[in-house]
Amino acid sequence: MKKELEKIQMGEYLDFDEKKIEKIMTIKLNYLNGEISLEEAKREMKESFNQVTAQEFAICEQYLQKYGISDDVLAERMDEILEIFEGLLVSNKLILALGHPIRTYLDEVDALRKVLNQMREMLKKNFIKNQWAEAYDRLTEIDIHFARKQNQLYPALESKGFDKPSKVMWTLENNIKDMIKKAKKYLESDQDEEFLKLQDEVIEMVEDMMVKEEEILYPTSMDLLSDEDFVKMRKGDDEIGYCLIESPPPYGREAEKDVGAHSNNELLKDLADVFRKHGMLNMTSNREVLDVSQGKLSLEQINLIFKHLQVDLSYVDENDIVKFYSDTKHRVFPRSPGVIGREVQNCHPRESVGTVEEIIRAFRAGEHDEAEFWLEIGGKFIYIIYNAVRDEKGNFRGVLEMMQDVTRIRSLTGNQRLLSWNDKKENIKDIEEHPGQENRYGITKQTVIGDVIKEYPFVKEFLFQISPKFSKLNNPIVFKTMASIATMEMISERGGFEVQDLIDKIVVEIDKRK
């Protein structure tokens, strides 16, 4: 076993006692392979050690697959494995500066615990639907917490050889999200008894995940990752947003800089470096013209085209590495710079990896060139298509994913032969001459709330005034995430309004302010 221990990549970043790790591994494997009982495993562990650190626990998890323990088994039996270490697991309390990504995760855990405590108190009292609805509005923000881990923290850990969070914790996170959705459906359909029966399980699942984060994930992350890794991570965190907390301050060397502008400049610089490396250009300006397949474009123009496409693009190369995604303002699912350079298998929950690998296999083998999917999420209809990317000789060069919210497109009927602006800047005179067709500001149920607020910033404050349920928009990062995807129809449902009623209120407010 010692020879095997020397091979693990994450061991390059941690100091550990090989004999201790071997002993821990022997006990765990004996239990998982059915050679000893849970009680025997616990007794042997307590007789052998006074304590086991989070880092030692994590490095043993990474080794398990070398001995035939699959990620499926790990996910299903994680609670049993943790029970073996009952009373032995120790981790130092992390004291970190505001803005440090791990401090941000810990602050979110504190905020989530407050929601759980409120839920525990409500279980002792008479059922009041509105109170539970408000609690679940807050609890649902855990999706943002998970999304940032999956797109930011897990890729950084993978780069150090620690891929178990991506492969195991992601599945547990999806189980939590599914349970919350199930409970929320019961609540919305007035199945009060079924809803209340689920609450202990919901609370336990969320609390259990947060304990795993605090005791194992975050301490191990602090040991594996460098400060430079965390500075880089912080730059991408805003892309995803934050759960139940205000946007944290910048962290590290870039603390005083505009992170967004810096990221865009870095993208242009990185692309320019790639072009130079392959002898495609010798340029000192991103305005220098390049010969593309059909035309001539500068690097700046290429970047602008990608940013303004009405479809999200992601490109994975022939080695299954994510190389690019388009930074569009209407992005369907969250993305952050942490995904670049990551194996595509680690960018999906474990239960979806088989489908991803089958698509790549069929494309690589030349059996197929296209795969399409569609799904309904939160009132939106999402269309996804994967295309095999091949060079002029037919060699497989990767996969292009294209994703689009086609909700409005699906609703179109008849013909549109006359000029009609879709940027919400309607011809007011024309609308006034045809009353009853549409309000003068072009606001419909499919209008994205971010577009309205961009044009009329005071509408954001107005929403706070008419319903406390809109208060989460006060978080700038949550607002940034929601603003690009939430339609008036979705916003009205969240606020408890009929969509036309909410539109009418906003129109009246705009009229008053103009």
Side-chain angles (χ1 to χ4, degrees):
M1 186 176 288
K2 184 173 181 179
K3 185 177 179 181
E4 294 287 345
L5 290 176
E6 292 170 353
K7 294 180 180 179
I8 194 166
Q9 182 190 349
M10 89 184 262
E12 300 173 11
Y13 305 94
L14 296 174
D15 292 325
F16 60 91
D17 182 336
E18 289 186 13
K19 291 183 178 180
K20 184 175 182 180
I21 297 298
E22 287 176 11
K23 180 63 176 176
I24 293 172
M25 288 288 295
T26 299
I27 297 171
K28 290 174 72 171
L29 287 168
N30 285 343
Y31 169 67
L32 291 170
N33 291 326
E35 297 173 14
I36 59 175
S37 68
L38 179 60
E39 289 306 315
E40 288 173 319
K42 291 170 68 174
R43 178 179 53 76
E44 285 189 33
M45 199 71 75
K46 285 185 178 179
E47 289 176 354
S48 302
F49 309 110
N50 293 321
Q51 64 178 37
V52 175
T53 67
Q55 296 81 352
E56 289 166 340
F57 181 92
I59 205 166
C60 287
E61 293 305 289
Q62 195 64 32
Y63 276 122
L64 282 176
Q65 198 162 13
K66 288 182 176 289
Y67 298 94
I69 306 300
S70 70
D71 295 327
D72 287 342
V73 171
L74 268 180
E76 291 165 6
R77 305 186 69 179
M78 179 56 70
D79 288 339
E80 299 170 45
I81 294 170
L82 282 168
E83 193 172 344
I84 297 173
F85 296 85
E86 185 179 19
L88 296 177
L89 266 179
V90 296
S91 58
N92 296 325
K93 183 174 177 59
L94 299 174
I95 302 174
L96 302 165
L98 280 171
H100 190 293
I102 299 300
R103 165 67 182 271
T104 301
Y105 286 119
L106 289 167
D107 288 346
E108 289 178 336
V109 166
D110 288 343
L112 284 164
R113 272 213 177 92
K114 290 178 182 177
V115 177
L116 296 186
N117 289 336
Q118 180 190 10
M119 291 167 63
R120 292 186 181 101
E121 289 301 312
M122 288 194 295
L123 284 172
K124 301 174 185 177
K125 302 175 183 178
N126 292 333
F127 176 82
I128 301 175
K129 182 176 180 178
N130 285 346
Q131 289 182 354
W132 280 104
E134 290 175 6
Y136 262 73
D137 280 346
R138 293 194 293 277
L139 184 62
T140 304
E141 287 197 27
I142 200 171
D143 291 2
I144 304 173
H145 180 76
F146 291 159
R148 214 171 60 259
K149 284 167 61 183
Q150 293 161 6
N151 287 275
Q152 290 285 97
L153 182 58
Y154 293 171
L157 293 174
E158 287 165 21
S159 71
K160 310 297 183 183
F162 187 30
D163 63 3
K164 290 306 167 194
S166 306
K167 296 179 177 179
V168 177
M169 291 189 81
W170 198 328
T171 295
L172 301 178
E173 290 159 2
N174 280 352
N175 292 342
I176 290 171
K177 289 163 66 174
D178 289 343
M179 182 61 71
I180 291 173
K181 287 178 184 176
K182 181 179 179 181
K184 202 168 183 181
K185 284 183 180 178
Y186 281 145
L187 180 65
E188 291 169 349
S189 60
D190 294 322
Q191 295 177 268
D192 303 347
E193 187 174 343
E194 289 84 351
F195 170 78
L196 290 172
K197 284 179 181 177
L198 280 183
Q199 295 317 297
D200 285 338
E201 188 174 359
V202 170
I203 292 169
E204 182 180 351
M205 289 178 73
V206 175
E207 180 62 41
D208 181 63
M209 173 59 74
M210 294 192 300
V211 169
K212 289 180 173 70
E213 291 176 358
E214 290 177 312
E215 294 189 355
I216 300 167
L217 180 64
Y218 301 146
T220 305
S221 299
M222 288 301 299
D223 277 356
L224 279 174
L225 303 177
S226 67
D227 196 60
E228 184 177 348
D229 292 324
F230 288 120
V231 170
K232 181 180 179 182
M233 195 183 303
R234 176 62 186 88
K235 293 176 187 176
D237 280 354
D238 287 346
E239 291 287 324
I240 308 297
Y242 302 94
C243 164
L244 298 173
I245 64 171
E246 295 296 325
S247 176
Y251 175 74
R253 296 183 302 277
E254 306 299 326
E256 304 303 321
K257 296 183 180 180
D258 182 339
V259 176
H262 179 78
S263 298
N264 287 335
N265 290 337
E266 284 296 307
L267 173 60
L268 290 172
K269 179 179 178 295
D270 290 346
L271 284 172
D273 289 343
V274 170
F275 282 130
R276 286 195 193 95
K277 180 179 178 180
H278 293 279
M280 294 178 63
L281 75 159
N282 235 337
M283 70 182 200
T284 57
S285 168
N286 60 42
R287 294 180 181 274
E288 189 161 333
V289 173
L290 309 173
D291 284 320
V292 294
S293 59
Q294 297 294 330
K296 295 179 179 292
L297 294 170
S298 70
L299 189 58
E300 180 185 42
Q301 289 170 331
I302 292 171
N303 194 44
L304 287 171
I305 289 170
F306 280 130
K307 288 177 73 71
H308 287 80
L309 287 175
Q310 293 294 309
V311 59
D312 295 356
L313 301 179
S314 297
Y315 171 62
V316 176
D317 73 6
E318 63 269 31
N319 299 311
D320 299 354
I321 301 300
V322 180
K323 290 292 189 178
F324 169 83
Y325 67 87
S326 56
D327 184 21
T328 56
K329 66 178 181 179
H330 60 280
R331 197 174 302 148
V332 176
F333 293 122
R335 291 279 193 277
S336 72
V339 75
I340 303 300
R342 194 178 183 192
E343 290 185 5
V344 69
Q345 290 86 348
N346 290 335
C347 298
H348 296 268
R350 186 168 48 89
E351 52 269 30
S352 302
V353 170
T355 303
V356 172
E357 291 182 332
E358 174 57 21
I359 291 171
I360 295 173
R361 185 206 63 77
F363 285 178
R364 182 176 277 119
E367 297 173 6
H368 297 282
D369 285 318
E370 184 176 290
E372 62 178 356
F373 302 86
W374 51 90
L375 48 144
E376 295 186 66
I377 301 176
K380 297 187 296 179
F381 192 90
I382 309 301
Y383 178 70
I384 306 169
I385 187 165
Y386 296 90
N387 281 118
V389 176
R390 305 189 191 281
D391 62 22
E392 293 178 356
K393 296 180 180 179
N395 299 314
F396 175 71
R397 298 300 300 274
V399 179
L400 181 66
E401 176 195 57
M402 290 166 280
M403 186 182 305
Q404 187 175 15
D405 176 3
V406 296
T407 309
R408 179 177 176 278
I409 296 172
R410 290 183 82 218
S411 70
L412 298 176
T413 59
N415 300 294
Q416 173 64 51
R417 300 182 183 278
L418 300 177
L419 176 62
S420 177
W421 302 105
N422 292 327
D423 58 2
K424 315 303 180 290
K425 298 176 182 177
E426 301 288 347
N427 187 315
I428 293 176
K429 183 174 184 292
D430 183 62
I431 292 173
E432 286 176 338
E433 292 173 355
H434 301 85
Q437 291 184 3
E438 194 175 35
N439 62 73
R440 68 178 64 233
Y441 305 111
I443 303 173
T444 71
K445 67 179 183 179
Q446 296 301 331
T447 299
V448 175
I449 187 62
D451 293 336
V452 177
I453 292 175
K454 182 178 180 181
E455 191 74 20
Y456 310 105
F458 53 81
V459 168
K460 185 177 178 183
E461 186 65 34
F462 175 66
L463 291 174
F464 300 157
Q465 295 171 8
I466 62 175
S467 174
K469 293 184 179 180
F470 292 132
S471 60
K472 68 167 56 180
L473 293 176
N474 202 28
N475 182 319
I477 305 304
V478 172
F479 171 71
K480 179 181 177 183
T481 303
M482 293 180 62
S484 62
I485 60 174
T487 62
M488 292 300 302
E489 187 172 32
M490 295 162 62
I491 287 289
S492 62
E493 183 179 344
R494 174 55 60 88
F497 294 94
E498 292 294 328
V499 61
Q500 192 56 53
D501 181 37
L502 181 60
I503 291 173
D504 290 343
K505 289 178 183 295
I506 290 174
V507 168
V508 169
E509 184 66 17
I510 295 174
D511 284 340
K512 284 166 52 180
R513 300 285 193 108
K514 286 179 71 69

